[in-house]
Amino acid sequence: MRVLWFLKRLSRMVRGQSLRRLAFPLTLLIVAASLGLYLLLAYSLANDPRLVPIAFQEAKSILLVTAHPDDETLFFSPTITYRRDDANVKRSLKLRRTGRQATKISEDRCVVLDIAELQDNPKQWWDGDMVKDLVSSYKEKWHVDLIVTFDHGGISGHINHRSVSAGVRKYIQSTPDAPAAYMLQSTPLLRKYSSLLDLIPTTIPFAWRILKALLTTPLGKEVEHNTVHDVVPLAAYNNKALIVSSWKAYRVSRAAFSQHDSQYSWDRSLYLVVSRYMWFNTLAKIA
């Protein structure tokens, strides 16, 4: 009975004015936690193979498969700016005009496929075999060793995005020697527009990896200070990735999007700040 009385009293305390008093410190705590996670993941752990798999760190030719001219900046910015300054990486985009100068992607690696069956149409499901064959041809042409595309939700739910994802998955699952391929993960609408605040729920599935990255050294690297080696092979961490843009990389992404003159409106300007996809990407490997 005393326990029940205590719970009732506690419930009354957190109502009304008490709850209002808690709102401000709770908000500060959430903001501080988000900023702390951002600094940790964008700088200290930005290249840890437990969070960014070796496939991203060692790829020499990366193929990004999208559906529309602004997809690469609106959704994939953290991924395409990762290793932006590495001269050994060739990144390729299959789309129309892009901010290639800002992202350091050469013009000959940016391709628009003006095909009648693959036109922007929110009611048309693109042919999976056609997408599969196109991906295959560019994989051979550019010796691609990493592919990145949408997941089955297409981030915005656009049917063209989803059909591109299906076509790439069809290629991966039917090609024994296909390179590693990752899908950008879709999130619910509220989280999509929560900016850095969404790092809190995003990092929950990565919590054990983050803890390991803080306390241990990955296999294959020399142990420093008082840390110990992580006994888990790096291949065990290849199933998903968390890539967080530094402030410099974020500014590069904004500069890239500014080159899409026809797309740059007030609501898109707001998107560049509030969208989680401008700040970080979570990706899952296609089995």
Side-chain angles (χ1 to χ4, degrees):
M1 291 296 294
R2 292 175 77 73
V3 173
L4 183 60
W5 171 84
F6 175 76
L7 290 175
K8 287 182 178 180
R9 180 162 183 172
L10 183 62
S11 176
R12 286 196 295 269
M13 286 175 62
V14 298
R15 291 193 196 120
Q17 197 167 3
S18 296
L19 188 59
R20 287 194 290 273
R21 289 198 196 102
L22 287 173
F24 182 68
L26 184 60
T27 300
L28 284 182
L29 179 62
I30 292 173
V31 172
S34 301
L35 290 176
L37 284 170
Y38 172 69
L39 294 174
L40 177 68
L41 297 168
Y43 296 95
S44 300
L45 304 181
N47 296 307
D48 192 283
R50 275 73 64 91
L51 299 172
V52 184
I54 293 297
F56 287 88
Q57 299 193 31
E58 297 183 351
K60 301 299 182 185
S61 181
I62 304 171
L63 177 64
L64 173 62
V65 188
T66 64
H68 307 116
D70 56 352
D71 290 344
E72 86 290 351
T73 305
L74 287 177
F75 308 123
F76 295 90
S77 284
T79 300
I80 63 174
T81 55
Y82 183 70
R83 293 176 66 200
R84 169 179 175 267
D85 296 322
D86 190 335
N88 295 318
V89 181
K90 297 293 183 180
R91 287 159 299 164
S92 312
L93 296 169
K94 287 179 61 178
L95 36 76
R96 214 177 312 274
R97 238 177 19 251
T98 89
R100 56 177 174 264
Q101 293 178 343
T103 54
K104 293 187 178 180
I105 301 176
S106 60
E107 186 171 353
D108 64 333
R109 305 285 289 205
C110 298
V111 177
V112 54
L113 302 177
D114 192 9
I115 300 173
E117 294 83 359
L118 302 178
Q119 297 298 313
D120 184 359
N121 187 335
K123 296 182 179 180
Q124 180 184 2
W125 182 271
W126 291 349
D127 183 80
D129 286 325
M130 182 175 291
V131 174
K132 172 190 145 202
D133 292 342
L134 288 167
V135 171
S136 178
S137 66
Y138 280 95
K139 184 268 181 184
E140 298 300 326
K141 178 181 179 180
W142 287 331
H143 307 290
V144 170
D145 53 4
L146 176 63
I147 298 174
V148 178
T149 191
F150 296 103
D151 72 350
H152 62 277
I155 309 303
S156 64
H158 198 296
I159 193 171
N160 298 159
H161 297 182
R162 291 160 51 216
S163 55
V164 163
S165 173
V168 174
R169 279 185 279 121
K170 195 168 189 177
Y171 163 71
I172 296 298
Q173 293 166 355
S174 64
T175 309
D177 62 342
Y182 286 79
M183 302 178 296
L184 183 63
Q185 299 297 282
S186 299
T187 57
L189 189 63
L190 181 61
R191 289 185 56 188
K192 181 178 178 181
Y193 296 113
S194 296
S195 192
L196 291 176
L197 297 180
D198 193 54
L199 273 175
I200 296 175
T202 294
T203 53
I204 292 175
F206 290 90
W208 183 238
R209 298 185 184 210
I210 293 172
L211 186 61
K212 280 196 168 188
L214 290 171
L215 300 178
T216 66
T217 299
L219 285 177
K221 292 191 177 182
E222 186 177 344
V223 176
E224 299 178 359
H225 307 301
N226 295 322
T227 60
V228 296
H229 264 135
D230 182 355
V231 297
V232 179
L234 293 182
Y237 298 106
N238 288 343
N239 62 321
K240 58 185 177 182
L242 173 57
I243 302 176
V244 183
S245 288
S246 65
W247 174 247
K248 179 182 178 182
Y250 170 73
R251 292 183 63 188
V252 167
S253 301
R254 289 184 64 98
F257 188 77
S258 68
Q259 296 179 33
H260 293 281
D261 297 331
S262 63
Q263 303 291 333
Y264 209 81
S265 56
W266 72 268
D267 58 320
R268 290 300 176 90
S269 298
L270 180 62
Y271 178 94
L272 297 181
V273 177
V274 302
S275 172
R276 75 191 291 276
Y277 294 101
M278 290 299 300
W279 296 95
F280 56 93
N281 285 165
T282 50
L283 305 103
K285 188 177 183 182
I286 301 177

